[in-house]
């Protein structure tokens, strides 16, 4: 078995594991044993997916950049998904920080996602491929938001909670998008249609915003009850 074939089988196997384990942490009790254990399985699978995709798709794009625009899409998606998974874990380890965070891994991955998004957008315009220029803004936004988060002091008390949620949802969006684009042809659907590959982003971001609104209300400071003496002293 060649190295390329080995990477391909690793990509398929880890992709199946990632797609199956994606859903349980979303509904399991946050911070619970099940959430953490299955979450780690998902993160490990996503890293394997990303590395194998870089070997498969990255090599195809380098060999024929004009003939293989879809290969650039999967290379870009691999980088974005790996960076999101990494950030989802790393924000928990840096949740006690009070100032800017300059670790090369964290800042570097966010910068790489931003650079890949800009390159993918530009290349999509050159080759007139909606799959590239249509999805590229997702990475541009994610990379910019990651840099803004790491390079500024925390802006709210539970910053790490919301960044963890956002990063893991972003990684999940990448997983579902890849599955749709790859398998759409089996149902007679063109996987490069704008509505198809942006659908998971629209649904995922909408759900994330509703989720964030719920937890912001839940974490909001409770009003301090007025003491009985204070009430009695009020004229």
């Amino acid at each position: 078995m060649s190295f390329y074939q080995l990477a391909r089988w690793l990509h398929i196997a880890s992709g199946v594991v990632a797609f199956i384990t994606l859903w349980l942490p979303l509904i399991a009790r946050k911070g619970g044993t099940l959430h953490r254990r299955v979450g780690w399985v998902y993160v490990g699978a996503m890293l394997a997916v990303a590395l194998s995709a870089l070997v498969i798709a990255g090599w195809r794009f380098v060999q024929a950049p004009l003939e293989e625009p879809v290969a650039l899409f999967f290379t870009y998606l691999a980088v974005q998904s790996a960076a999101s998974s990494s950030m989802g874990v790393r924000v928990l380890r840096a949740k006690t920080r009070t100032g800017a965070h300059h670790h090369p891994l964290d800042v570097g991955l966010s910068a790489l996602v931003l650079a890949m998004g800009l390159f993918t957008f530009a290349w999509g315009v050159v080759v007139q491929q909606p799959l590239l220029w249509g999805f590229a803004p997702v990475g541009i936004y994610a990379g910019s938001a990651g840099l803004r988060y790491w390079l500024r002091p925390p802006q709210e008390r539970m910053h790490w909670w919301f960044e963890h949620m956002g990063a893991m949802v972003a990684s999940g969006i990448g997983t579902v998008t890849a599955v749709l684009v790859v398998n759409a042809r089996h149902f007679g659907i063109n996987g490069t249609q704008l509505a198809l590959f942006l659908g998971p982003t629209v649904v995922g971001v909408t759900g994330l915003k509703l989720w964030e609104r719920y937890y912001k209300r839940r974490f909001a400071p409770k009003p301090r009850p007025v003491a009985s003496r204070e009430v009695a002293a009020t004229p």
Side-chain angles (χ1 to χ4, degrees):
M1 181 181 292
S2 67
F3 182 73
Y4 182 87
Q5 290 175 319
L6 180 62
R8 184 172 179 271
W9 281 111
L10 174 63
H11 184 75
I12 294 172
S14 54
V16 170
V17 173
F19 187 74
I20 292 174
T21 57
L22 163 65
W23 311 101
L24 192 54
L26 295 176
I27 59 176
R29 184 174 65 85
K30 303 301 175 283
T33 301
L34 183 63
H35 176 93
R36 288 185 283 107
R37 288 181 178 176
V38 178
W40 273 113
V41 173
Y42 171 76
V43 169
M46 278 307 302
L47 292 178
V49 167
L51 291 174
S52 55
L54 287 175
V55 173
I56 300 168
W59 177 250
R60 286 172 54 194
F61 178 71
V62 170
Q63 292 291 100
L66 293 176
E67 291 76 23
E68 293 284 354
V70 177
L72 174 59
F73 171 77
F74 285 114
T75 303
Y76 159 64
L77 199 59
V79 171
Q80 181 183 326
S81 298
S84 296
S85 298
S86 173
M87 186 165 187
V89 173
R90 299 282 296 177
V91 294
L92 299 179
R93 297 183 176 182
K95 66 181 181 180
T96 59
R97 71 184 180 96
T98 57
H101 178 84
H102 299 99
H103 195 285
L105 174 63
D106 303 321
V107 176
L109 282 177
S110 294
L112 179 60
V113 171
L114 174 58
M116 281 289 296
L118 293 171
F119 176 77
T120 301
F121 180 84
W123 195 258
V125 172
V126 170
V127 300
Q128 299 180 355
Q129 176 57 263
L131 182 65
L132 299 180
W133 61 254
F135 196 78
V138 177
I140 295 172
Y141 174 80
S144 302
L147 287 174
R148 188 168 58 250
Y149 175 75
W150 290 123
L151 298 178
R152 295 193 306 173
Q155 302 297 301
E156 54 187 327
R157 184 172 60 90
M158 298 292 290
H159 60 93
W160 53 273
W161 178 283
F162 296 108
E163 288 299 325
H164 172 74
M165 287 198 308
M168 299 312 293
V169 168
S171 180
I173 288 173
T175 303
V176 176
T177 301
V179 170
L180 287 178
V181 172
V182 169
N183 294 287
R185 58 187 176 84
H186 298 305
F187 301 94
I189 302 172
N190 182 3
T192 62
Q193 293 182 33
L194 198 64
L196 179 69
F197 64 77
L198 284 183
T201 299
V202 173
V203 174
V205 171
T206 301
L208 177 62
K209 294 304 178 184
L210 294 174
W211 209 4
E212 287 178 346
R213 184 181 302 177
Y214 165 77
Y215 278 108
K216 283 183 178 180
R217 288 200 303 265
R218 180 176 174 181
F219 294 146
K222 300 294 188 295
R224 186 174 66 89
V226 180
S228 57
R229 290 184 179 179
E230 294 176 352
V231 174
T234 303

